[in-house]
Each structure stands twice: as C-alpha cells, then as structure tokens.
Amino acid sequence: MTLQQIVDKLGATVGLGADKLDREVEHAFASDLMSDVLTLKDTPVLITGLCNVQTIRTCDMANLDVVIFVRGKHPSEDMVELADENDMVLICTPYSMFKTCGLLWELGMKPLF
Amino acid sequence: MHQEYIVVEGDFVNAGKASSSVKKTLKQLNVNPQVVKRVVVALYEAEVNAIAHAYGGKVLVDIDPDKIHMVVADKGPGIPDIAWAMEEGHSTARPEVRDMGFGAGMGLPNMQKNVDKLNVTSEVGVGTTVEMEVNFQ
C-alpha cells in the first residue's frame, strides 16, 4: 500500500514528507517503548503514541523513516527539524493505537512477527 | 580516528547526538549498514543510560579500519549488582526516563546483543564505564 492510502484510511494529517506519499510500504511495528524499537530488523513504519525527540532519534538509529503518531499527538518543531534531516515522513492520526493497527491490518499491512 | 562527546545529566533532548554523529561517520566510511546499525543501537542505549542514570559523562570513540571501540564513562551512582542490571526487565529508571520511551530494563541486554565485546565496570558512588567493540567484518 502507499503512504497516501494510509493517510486516507486513518483520517490523518501529514506533519512532514507530503512529497513522499507515493511510497509503497508493507510492514509496520507498533510500540511506545523505544528499546523494543531498537531490537527490530529493518522496517520502514513505526506506529507510536510516544511523541518526543527520542522517537525521532530512535527511528534514525533503527533505520525507520515513517512514523505514524496516534492519539492525536503532533510532533514539535524540534522533532520535525530532526526528522527532516533524516528524510522521514511523519503522519498524525486522531485514532487510538488499537484502532490504527486494526485499520492498517484491513488495508493489508503486515506485522514483523 | 578518535572522537569525543560530552554527555550532560538529564539532557534528553540531546540524547543520541553522539550516536547520530558516529552513524554519519561510519556511513561515510562505507561500513556495512547492518554493522552500522548494531554499533549505533548499542551506543545509543549506552548514551541514554548515562543521561538517565548518571550525572553526565563522556563518550570516547575510536574507529580503526577493521573495528570500532567505544567507551561511555559516567560520573554517577554506579551499579551495585551488574549481573542483575544485565538481565532483561531489570531497571531502576525514574518515571521521567520511562516517559522518554526507555527504562524497561532492556538497555544493557540490547548492548550485549549488538556488540562483539562488552565490558561493564562500576563503582558505587563513583560511576560506571561501558566499553564496547564491534568488528566491521
């Protein structure tokens, strides 16, 4: 599926990377615990309710470049600046993590394990 | 190549700056991306630990043609029982650290999984030194 399909399905806004929404993605991981994110094999998409600079740093270290912020969280200017340096896409949905995961599952998003 | 970074107590905003800089350097040196990831994940966890648990410290990095050697030395309370701290799920992190997405007791185990050599020494009331090495081949 494309990132645009994800944005549409989640009634989301794009915080960064609106020019990259034609990108195809297949797998995602959902967590608020960054140490768990650091144990992953490479995957492009993180679904998280943790919205601070460490989210972006962790994604940089773990080679994730698409973050879907749930529960109506919006990244700060610092976060957007750091994410921009790393060519990331930031997507914000008002939905809960559970609903977000369910809707993406319907779209065909696959889990990592 | 030798690099040094200062880590400031409680400075979560800058946690990961050293790891990020090392990542850029290793990429420029064309080190295998999977090896780069192992290095930066381990260093990042160590950096977060020094900021979260200690009163600041230093990150010392030496990059050789075949390996990277990293030392994260903090001035802090030290670890009374290193074997306990090395076990997954064991943590003494404050709520503030957990709010940053860490503090689940996975830092030291994550370091162990990603490096070829890990040595943790600690003296209560003085500080902790984490020494790590990753081979490029």
Side-chain angles (χ1 to χ4, degrees), chain A residues 25-106:
Chain A
V25 290
E26 242 187 296
H27 294 86
F29 185 75
S31 180
D32 284 355
L33 180 62
M34 294 300 104
S35 280
D36 267 346
V37 176
L38 289 171
T39 64
L40 301 177
K41 288 192 181 151
D42 287 358
T43 181
V45 182
L46 174 68
I47 301 160
T48 187
L50 186 81
C51 191
N52 60 42
V53 172
Q54 290 320 309
T55 314
I56 308 297
R57 287 261 186 231
T58 301
C59 290
D60 179 20
M61 300 307 147
N63 297 335
L64 281 124
D65 54 8
V66 179
V67 185
I68 301 172
F69 292 105
V70 298
R71 305 195 287 270
K73 306 282 172 79
H74 287 274
S76 65
E77 274 180 34
D78 286 0
M79 291 169 67
V80 172
E81 200 177 308
L82 189 58
D84 197 21
E85 281 174 26
N86 294 298
D87 287 326
M88 291 169 67
V89 178
L90 306 181
I91 293 168
C92 311
T93 174
Y95 300 147
S96 67
M97 186 182 277
F98 183 74
K99 183 167 175 175
T100 301
C101 292
L103 289 171
L104 293 183
W105 186 277
E106 271 181 15

Side-chain angles (χ1 to χ4, degrees), chain B residues 56-132:
Chain B
K58 266 187 184 174
V59 178
L60 311 174
V61 178
D62 283 289
I63 301 170
D64 294 336
D66 58 340
K67 67 174 188 291
I68 180 166
H69 185 86
M70 300 166 279
V71 176
V72 181
D74 70 48
K75 289 174 264 170
I79 306 171
D81 186 344
I82 293 174
W84 182 88
M86 290 297 298
E87 296 220 7
E88 227 167 82
H90 288 182
S91 176
T92 56
R94 302 186 307 274
E96 188 193 0
V97 178
R98 296 176 197 262
D99 287 348
M100 300 302 296
F102 292 91
M106 290 177 66
L108 283 166
N110 267 358
M111 288 174 223
Q112 180 105 67
K113 279 178 202 153
N114 282 291
V115 301
D116 293 305
K117 276 188 204 164
L118 172 70
N119 187 31
V120 183
T121 52
S122 191
E123 195 177 334
V124 173
V126 178
T128 299
T129 299
V130 175
E131 203 177 345
M132 301 180 283

Side-chain angles (χ1 to χ4, degrees), chain A residues 4-17:
Chain A
Q4 183 65 58
Q5 282 176 285
I6 292 175
V7 169
D8 294 343
K9 185 84 173 173
L10 298 177
T13 55
V14 181
L16 179 71

